[in-house]
Amino acid sequence: MSLPLLRAENVSLRFGGLQALDRVSFDLYEGEVHSLVGHNGAGKTTFIRVLSGVYPPEEGRIWVRMDQELREVRFYSPRDAQRHGIETIHQNLALADNLDAVANVFLGRERVRHLSLDEEGMEAEARKVLERVGARLPSLRTPVHRLSGGQRQAVAIGRALLFQARVLIMDEPTAALGPGETARVKALIRTLRDEGLGIILISHDLHDVFDLSDRITVMKGGRVVGTVRPQESSQEEVLGMILAGERRA
């Protein structure tokens, strides 16, 4: 197997007296969907916040693949993670509802030309990346609060891809979507995987997890319970791992 895009080893983090993460190890390969599952409080969100630069780990190491070798990195902010090709699409999508799709794609990373915003250039680039993800928008200039859940998800994904993401962290990407939009988002995830992105998927929907994942890692109480491949496991086994906090023989 080739080198992973991202590797975490024995990552630990405490908040006061709470052991939020306890020696968590995880890796992600090019062209893979690796899901994280577990009940609320299992440590999934805290772990992806470490990977996305929100929290530096107290212990453990993180590597990213650069120039065909693994190099250890330490993130002190989300910008650090983004500079290494790690983009996060949060459950709330972090969109500015009053702004249009173009402004949201470039939010916080606007392009300037001749001391003013390069509106024409940004619109052209936004159009290209949104066409890549199959976004069906009434207009690029429609405020995103008027878009559907699936259209908003496409804008958030387009923003990540525009800035050359190699690792995409997706937190509950199909939550609150109808069947049609869920199917479109799942198709997009498969397309991005086939293009070589590594995708970390966080979801409570085991049906979606088994439908999309190459590997599934179960967490409970800030620890990794185990990792399985969907074709070698079942939803019942994974649910048992989530509930019991251990993998049955």
Side-chain angles (χ1 to χ4, degrees):
M1 196 175 245
S2 62
L3 289 173
L5 291 174
L6 175 68
R7 170 168 287 163
E9 184 177 277
N10 294 325
V11 168
S12 296
L13 181 65
R14 296 181 66 90
F15 296 119
L18 173 66
Q19 185 75 49
L21 297 174
D22 187 4
R23 294 167 293 173
V24 174
S25 294
F26 180 93
D27 54 22
L28 176 72
Y29 287 85
E30 185 176 344
E32 178 184 44
V33 176
H34 191 162
S35 290
L36 279 173
V37 299
H39 285 314
N40 290 336
K44 308 182 304 296
T45 298
T46 301
F47 181 57
I48 65 169
R49 285 177 177 170
V50 169
L51 296 181
S52 60
V54 177
Y55 303 135
E58 292 175 343
E59 300 177 14
R61 305 167 74 185
I62 298 173
W63 289 270
V64 297
R65 193 175 82 189
M66 292 185 281
D67 300 324
Q68 298 307 309
E69 66 178 24
L70 287 181
R71 297 185 187 178
E72 188 173 356
V73 294
R74 191 164 181 86
F75 302 144
Y76 295 97
S77 73
R79 285 294 177 91
D80 291 340
Q82 289 168 343
R83 278 193 287 269
H84 287 88
I86 301 170
E87 293 277 351
T88 303
I89 300 175
H90 299 282
Q91 186 173 357
N92 66 6
L93 303 181
L95 298 177
D97 282 346
N98 61 312
L99 300 180
D100 61 30
V102 176
N104 271 281
V105 165
F106 283 91
L107 193 64
R109 292 180 276 197
E110 292 81 1
R111 302 276 170 84
V112 176
R113 186 166 179 251
H114 303 312
L115 302 181
S116 63
L117 288 179
D118 182 10
E119 296 284 1
E120 185 176 335
M122 289 192 296
E123 181 169 336
E125 289 193 55
R127 184 181 305 280
K128 186 181 300 184
V129 75
L130 291 172
E131 287 176 352
R132 175 184 171 189
V133 301
R136 304 172 181 177
L137 308 185
S139 166
L140 291 182
R141 294 303 181 180
T142 300
V144 297
H145 73 82
R146 292 169 54 188
L147 302 180
S148 69
Q151 290 168 334
R152 289 163 57 86
Q153 186 73 244
V155 171
I157 293 171
R159 179 173 60 195
L161 296 182
L162 183 66
F163 293 97
Q164 307 301 314
R166 295 186 300 151
V167 172
L168 197 58
I169 301 172
M170 305 185 75
D171 189 3
E172 301 286 355
T174 60
L177 298 184
E181 290 200 316
T182 293
R184 283 192 287 272
V185 170
K186 289 167 68 173
L188 176 55
I189 291 172
R190 293 188 186 99
T191 297
L192 297 176
R193 175 187 61 190
D194 293 344
E195 290 179 3
L197 269 73
I199 298 171
I200 301 175
L201 175 67
I202 296 90
S203 178
H204 286 93
D205 189 323
L206 287 184
H207 178 75
D208 285 354
V209 166
F210 269 77
D211 194 26
L212 292 167
S213 303
D214 298 288
R215 287 188 294 161
I216 303 166
T217 290
V218 179
M219 294 186 68
K220 185 178 177 70
R223 295 185 176 187
V224 169
V225 176
T227 299
V228 301
R229 294 187 180 276
Q231 63 270 29
E232 300 168 355
S233 183
S234 66
Q235 293 188 36
E236 290 74 18
E237 180 186 18
V238 169
L239 183 58
M241 293 166 67
I242 291 171
L243 295 173
E246 60 183 13
R247 188 173 185 183
R248 302 288 173 81

